[in-house]
Amino acid sequence: MSLNQPDAEFESHLAFRNFLGKAFGIVCMVSTWFSIGALVVLLASVSWQASGWLNWSFITNYDSRHPEQAGVLAGLWGSLWLIFFTTIFTVPVGIGAAVYLEEYTQNGWIKRFIQVNLSNLAGVPSIVYGILGLTVFVRMFGLFGTKERVIELSLFVLTLEIPVPFGTTVLSGALTLSLLILPVVIVASQESLRAVPSSIRHASYALAATRWQTIRHQVLPSALPGMLTGVILAISRAIGETAPLVIIGALTYVAATPGDIESPADLLRNPGSVAEVPFSEFTTLPIQIFNWVKLPNSDFQHVAAASILVLLIFLLVLNGVVIYVRNRFQKNVRW
Amino acid sequence: MLKKLEPMINQTPQVTVRETSEPEVGNGLTPVKIETRQLDFFYGSNQVLFDISMQIRERSVTALIGPSGCGKSTFLRTINRMNDIVEGTSHTGQVFVDDVEIYDPRVDVVALRKRVGMVFQKSIPFPKSIFDNVAYGPRIAGNRNKKSLREIVEHSLKQAALWDEVKDRLHDSAMTLSGGQQQRLCIARALSTGPDVLLMDEPASALDPGSTSKIEDLIFELKEKYTIVIVTHNMQQAARVSDETAFFFEGQVIEFEKTKQLFTNPREKRTEDYVTGRFG
């Protein structure tokens, strides 16, 4: 059939097929703008509520009974240190586990068993991890009785004073959050390892590389950007977590920052104080927000809104840094 | 000949060596470089190679031809033990390279692959610069000397007939090369570790005629120094570049002959049907 002989059935179908394509595009567009719209509404209402309340003294003040004097200093530093230690615990363990599962184990029932459990763990409610953290890290199964002991550990320049059990400290919180996000980090890292073409591995082996050299020089550089994406998502989730920290007993009102570091200047003046951070009590931004929202004095709603803004900015800066680092990596890795 | 192999063997004695009863050299033939004896190969319980016994001569080109799925690539990959990477593979029988049984547990597979280089069907440049691609093999083998690395890279690229095209942009990404250049880069990379056997798995099947003939010229030059085993689907290519040709069919070697003999006067009906294009 030539072009100048119209095929009615084909043409009517063609119009419908084109319509389907357009309709699908519109549905996708609506979904995108729906989520963006929700975000804009949230930001607008929070900003409006927070206007006039978010100022420099809000950042540098501790919490107070008087809404005008309440601030997020403790929560901000608490969140910062908590995320810092959570990242330090999670990244090596998560990436190590993913590399082991993808590059070292053979396919078999053990691997499948671990895989299924990982996926299930990723779906366990965070409050359950709080209970786990309370038992394992805060109380250490009550093995050491109710009285807290302190183990002193000398490391060349500084001495760590480790309480046993850990109690409600930054360390316990970070370990609990690490457990919470590890399954997500492992699964995401596995996905990005699987995305590295096996031909790259074979080419490396054929050039007489050992397994470690192949992983180190070919697989990891290619998979790292994807792994970092998984870490970003997981960490972002951890920043916002409240329930498990409330369960392990994080305080709502703290009049000290971990390690008494109240500003970057303090950190530079006395870097040794970082050693005290993991063993300090703490609060976090989401806990402070949760606390303020509950208070009857309506002015505290404005305080909560201002701290929500601080949390969002904190999240944005953190993600921005990681995305910048990731893009630096990605530049060299393209095939 | 055993002396050459000392790095390949962890403990020099006890490793299984090839024993021969009759003299193999003479009539202008080069010594045997690779020999398989009663080689069977399995993926799980699925047998893909049946009783392969072949002798491949030093400094010659041996072509493996046959229809898809006949086992010729699998056979090629037993020579540098690339099949080890695939889960669930097993074999019986023996494979000797330089008179040493390469599946002997005392043979280190990394040392074997340094001596037996491989070029794949698809060119797979690493996402690095041209220089780093070629220097990868020597570097991971422990060469940290910049001058020596530069010499190896230049020498390998010259051998692969790519030097003149890339000498001014060695630090550009290997991804900027054309398909034919990428494949020659992979050949240079395979030569950089100093192998004496080169396995090629359809090295020109994804290339245009111009690039293909460059690769073929290259193979012709490389056989002065290297023992080359090449899998190809292209009958003319096998006829042009190889000294001997093996016809694989359903996991067996139907005929293994001088190339000229196999193409002009095959012993077997099936070989004749295949090389004349009646099936495959």
Side-chain angles (χ1 to χ4, degrees), chain A residues 100-331:
Chain A
Y100 175 71
L101 285 174
E102 282 309 304
E103 306 292 326
Y104 285 91
T105 51
Q106 304 253 314
N107 279 317
W109 70 268
I110 298 180
K111 187 179 170 182
R112 273 203 306 278
F113 179 76
I114 294 175
Q115 205 70 58
V116 168
N117 279 288
L118 273 177
S119 311
N120 283 341
L121 282 177
V124 169
S126 59
I127 202 156
V128 176
Y129 284 98
I131 295 167
L132 184 71
L134 181 68
T135 317
V136 178
F137 304 123
V138 178
R139 294 194 185 140
M140 292 195 170
F141 309 102
L143 282 176
F144 301 94
T146 45
K147 242 182 136 187
E148 195 165 273
R149 264 169 286 184
V150 173
I151 298 173
E152 290 203 2
L153 191 67
S154 291
L155 298 168
F156 306 111
V157 280
L158 39 91
T159 309
L160 295 179
E161 293 179 359
I162 307 171
V164 174
F166 292 153
T168 307
T169 53
V170 172
L171 182 64
S172 294
L175 287 170
T176 306
L177 288 186
S178 297
L179 285 186
L180 171 69
I181 63 175
L182 261 176
V184 181
V185 171
I186 294 173
V187 170
S189 301
Q190 278 185 292
E191 283 302 327
S192 72
L193 285 170
R194 259 176 245 153
V196 178
S198 58
S199 58
I200 290 270
R201 293 183 181 86
H202 290 186
S204 177
Y205 285 128
L207 288 167
T210 60
R211 170 144 45 183
W212 156 242
Q213 287 172 325
T214 301
I215 293 172
R216 162 72 186 78
H217 296 290
Q218 303 300 340
V219 179
L220 279 185
S222 302
L224 215 50
M227 289 176 164
L228 284 180
T229 306
V231 171
I232 294 171
L233 290 175
I235 294 288
S236 304
R237 183 183 164 197
I239 291 174
E241 276 302 340
T242 320
L245 298 176
V246 170
I247 293 278
I248 68 166
L251 305 175
T252 50
Y253 181 84
V254 194
T257 50
D260 288 325
I261 301 167
E262 295 188 340
S263 68
D266 285 349
L267 194 60
L268 293 177
R269 219 174 297 132
N270 185 11
S273 56
V274 173
E276 294 163 30
V277 169
F279 315 112
S280 306
E281 298 194 311
F282 69 101
T283 188
T284 68
L285 284 172
I287 291 175
Q288 288 202 303
I289 295 167
F290 176 63
N291 186 43
W292 282 324
V293 168
K294 287 189 305 187
L295 294 178
N297 184 341
S298 65
D299 277 350
F300 275 111
Q301 301 311 314
H302 297 293
V303 176
S307 52
I308 289 172
L309 270 192
V310 172
L311 180 64
L312 288 177
I313 292 165
F314 179 67
L315 200 66
L316 211 66
V317 170
L318 204 75
N319 280 355
V321 170
V322 183
I323 290 170
Y324 174 75
V325 172
R326 186 186 65 186
N327 290 351
R328 287 295 298 272
F329 273 115
Q330 227 156 8
K331 249 178 215 157

Side-chain angles (χ1 to χ4, degrees), chain B residues 12-24:
Chain B
T12 318
Q14 290 129 19
V15 74
T16 318
V17 294
R18 194 173 71 106
E19 283 161 10
T20 46
S21 45
E22 46 203 281
E24 294 166 337

Side-chain angles (χ1 to χ4, degrees), chain B residues 49-143:
Chain B
L49 291 179
F50 298 85
D51 193 28
I52 310 271
S53 296
M54 276 175 75
Q55 290 186 335
I56 291 168
R57 303 262 165 194
E58 200 171 279
R59 277 169 286 123
S60 70
V61 178
T62 304
L64 311 178
I65 61 169
S68 297
C70 66
K72 55 195 189 304
S73 282
T74 302
F75 174 75
L76 192 77
R77 285 158 170 270
T78 58
I79 302 174
N80 66 346
R81 289 180 54 181
M82 280 303 277
N83 287 322
D84 289 16
I85 299 168
V86 183
E87 280 176 34
T89 56
S90 57
H91 77 289
T92 62
Q94 291 171 306
V95 182
F96 299 94
V97 175
D98 276 340
D99 293 345
V100 170
E101 218 282 270
I102 60 170
Y103 282 92
D104 187 294
R106 284 172 294 250
V107 171
D108 190 318
V109 67
V110 170
L112 169 72
R113 289 184 191 140
K114 184 185 175 300
R115 307 293 301 276
V116 183
M118 184 161 204
V119 177
F120 296 87
Q121 174 178 15
K122 222 181 110 203
S123 58
I124 313 147
F126 299 132
K128 299 169 184 267
S129 73
I130 295 166
F131 185 93
D132 289 342
N133 259 278
V134 184
Y136 180 73
R139 271 188 185 139
I140 57 175
N143 189 339

